[in-house]
Amino acid sequence: MKNTKYTRGRKRKNKYKRWIIAFIILIVLVIVGVWGGGFVKDRLQVQNLGKTKSPEWIDKQIIEKDGVSRNGKKLSRVKDIVIHYVGNPGSTAQGNHDFYVSPQSSVSSHFIVGLKGEIIQCIPLNEMSAASNWRNNDTISIEVCHSDDSGKFNKKTYQSLVKLTAWLLERCDLREKHIIRHYDITGKECPRYYVRHEDKWKKFKEDVKKYREK
């Protein structure tokens, strides 16, 4: 009788163990599946960005690989679009581009928006720029020119920035909440005007949304 009870108890115990092991295996498979699916999605996103044909209103002047301003490393994914200001009042988009290719430079951005509304692309969309610190691996960066020390963008510059940002959101399958400032990464006062005026930053994102809904 004792042996029968012992045998039954042992069988139940082994059965519970098998259930627990099966459950753990299932959880592991789900986690691996989710992670693997996300990894594949990220890789496809970056690959597709590399094949993107820029619209005619973007002046493509891709800088040469130099290991610094353009290191040639691929993005891991694109989570956010980062807005910067050049911090050099009165400088042009072309002037900032040309600085990137100079031996003195260790920085770059994917795009520069100029005082006349011109847009220059400097880095391929599937590669890292050197603009957003530890977020270079998963962001696209836009540097914006400004006329004075306030950092406020003029009308033509602002309109082009709205158009470019809207286009990038579409290409990257992102929403307005994924538009961030350099400030949101590091606390640096960049872009200055939109750090000092939170209401204007909010309006910028609203204007991008309206542009997308046209």
Side-chain angles (χ1 to χ4, degrees), residues 16-145:
Y16 292 148
K17 281 184 177 179
R18 288 195 296 270
W19 284 353
I20 291 170
I21 291 171
F23 180 73
I24 291 172
I25 291 173
L26 178 62
I27 293 299
V28 170
L29 288 174
V30 169
I31 292 172
V32 170
V34 171
W35 181 85
F39 178 80
V40 171
K41 183 180 179 181
D42 293 343
R43 291 295 87 199
L44 286 174
Q45 181 198 43
V46 173
Q47 287 177 15
N48 290 335
L49 286 173
K51 300 173 184 177
T52 297
K53 184 177 180 181
S54 300
E56 59 182 15
W57 40 268
I58 293 177
D59 180 7
K60 210 167 181 179
Q61 297 186 39
I62 305 298
I63 65 177
E64 296 292 331
K65 291 182 185 179
D66 61 1
V68 185
S69 291
R70 182 187 172 195
N71 59 32
K73 293 180 181 179
K74 295 293 187 289
L75 291 165
S76 61
R77 60 183 296 192
V78 178
K79 291 176 64 177
D80 296 306
I81 310 299
V82 188
I83 309 300
H84 303 253
Y85 85 136
V86 297
N88 186 11
S91 63
T92 64
Q94 190 64 55
N96 281 280
H97 168 277
D98 294 347
F99 173 73
Y100 292 164
V101 301
S102 71
Q104 294 80 23
S105 175
S106 59
V107 297
S108 65
S109 60
H110 288 91
F111 298 92
I112 309 169
V113 183
L115 297 173
K116 297 179 180 179
E118 71 274 27
I119 300 171
I120 297 177
Q121 182 177 356
C122 308
I123 303 290
L125 283 177
N126 63 340
E127 290 186 19
M128 291 169 52
S129 67
S132 303
N133 303 80
W134 56 85
R135 293 294 308 279
N136 286 328
N137 68 310
D138 64 1
T139 57
I140 289 177
S141 56
I142 306 174
E143 287 277 2
V144 188
C145 297

